[in-house]
Amino acid sequence: MASTGARRVALPTMRLVIARCSVDYAGRLTAHLPSAPRLILVKADGSVSIHADDRAYKPLNWMSPPCTLKEGTGEEEGVWTVVNKAGEKLIITMEEVLHDSSHELGVDPGLIKDGVEAHLQELLADRIETLGEGYTLIRREYPTAIGPVDILCRDADGKTVAVEIKRRGEIDGVEQLTRYLELLNRDPHLSPVRGVFAAQEIKPQARVLATDRGIGCQVLDYDALRGIEDDKLRLF
């Protein structure tokens, strides 16, 4: 009788698998991806994501860490089962593996911000009252599990405000701030936390999304923050 056991897969590296496969998600809802060639990313942090070739960076389905990956053996060979701490499952049924490789990426140095963007953060922190009368700074680069929030401050009523700063404000920046707010609002010492999306220019689509999510928008005047007067309207 063939074994139906499974082996735990160690995840010290980034693993890239291109395979014809079908995918089933079982959790709060159910979802099914029919058979097709796809890219499967198994990251060292334990996350697993399924990608197609037509959705930019967004996966078709994924499982966030912490989770465990087991590869079936025997009668279940070719079946991957990913389970998270809530008991939700992502079941990947391999039909044909076209590529399977692992790569040690090492420690990432992190994002190096555009010089103007970094300077905007510094200037706004020094002139936090730009956001409104009575605002006070808590700190710059406030750490979270998914990266630092540009500025954390309090408004005149003592409520916590998270500020994401961009040179050009687009939808991705609003999404980033949304993720920060979800984490920060879990902290009873900070909650409730509202967001402000600040940029030299905010795209209309980004403004609509921010407004829909209750996030304020602030257009930053770089020269004004630097203390440089605009003499365009001066007569002499």
Side-chain angles (χ1 to χ4, degrees):
M1 180 177 179
S3 170
T4 58
R7 57 187 176 87
R8 176 76 172 274
V9 178
L11 299 170
T13 59
M14 167 79 81
R15 185 176 177 187
L16 308 176
V17 178
I18 298 174
R20 177 173 291 279
C21 62
S22 60
V23 184
D24 292 278
Y25 168 79
R28 289 164 293 179
L29 301 171
T30 59
H32 175 72
L33 293 172
S35 176
R38 297 188 176 94
L39 168 65
I40 304 166
L41 294 183
V42 184
K43 297 177 69 176
D45 65 2
S47 62
V48 178
S49 55
I50 316 295
H51 296 262
D53 196 29
D54 62 348
R55 291 168 58 91
Y57 62 90
K58 294 183 179 180
L60 296 166
N61 214 327
W62 69 94
M63 193 69 81
S64 301
C67 57
T68 58
L69 165 62
K70 294 182 179 180
E71 290 185 33
T73 59
E75 292 180 353
E76 294 184 356
E77 186 173 0
V79 178
W80 290 15
T81 304
V82 188
V83 184
N84 67 12
K85 63 180 180 180
E88 298 168 317
K89 293 183 179 181
L90 194 63
I91 301 170
I92 307 168
T93 303
M94 305 288 189
E95 297 171 13
E96 180 184 9
V97 176
L98 305 172
H99 174 86
D100 189 346
S101 64
S102 297
H103 307 271
E104 179 59 62
L105 300 185
V107 178
D108 190 90
L111 178 68
I112 299 175
K113 293 191 174 183
D114 174 270
V116 173
E117 190 175 298
H119 199 204
L120 280 170
Q121 183 194 115
E122 180 182 351
L123 290 169
L124 185 58
D126 288 340
R127 297 165 176 78
I128 198 67
E129 68 278 0
T130 301
L131 297 175
E133 186 177 351
Y135 273 67
T136 56
L137 179 69
I138 297 176
R139 69 167 288 177
R140 292 170 54 195
E141 299 288 335
Y142 187 88
T144 76
I146 58 173
V149 177
D150 286 335
I151 289 178
L152 198 68
C153 57
R154 295 193 189 281
D155 63 17
D157 297 323
K159 301 292 181 62
T160 309
V161 181
V163 185
E164 180 63 26
I165 300 171
K166 299 293 183 186
R167 185 171 63 85
R168 180 182 293 112
E170 300 185 4
I171 285 176
D172 285 353
V174 179
E175 295 285 7
Q176 183 179 357
L177 179 54
T178 299
R179 293 191 293 271
Y180 288 144
L181 290 172
E182 288 175 355
L183 280 178
L184 292 170
N185 273 300
R186 297 175 192 174
D187 186 339
H189 300 293
L190 298 175
S191 180
V193 185
R194 64 181 180 87
V196 171
F197 188 50
Q200 287 181 281
E201 174 193 1
I202 299 178
K203 296 293 187 180
Q205 300 93 331
R207 186 180 291 275
V208 169
L209 181 61
T211 302
D212 183 66
R213 295 182 177 181
I215 294 171
C217 292
Q218 179 82 32
V219 176
L220 300 176
D221 185 326
Y222 186 54
D223 287 339
L225 286 172
R226 294 169 64 202
I228 299 175
E229 288 190 36
D230 185 351
D231 61 359
K232 292 179 181 178
L233 300 180
R234 295 183 62 172
L235 298 178
F236 55 88

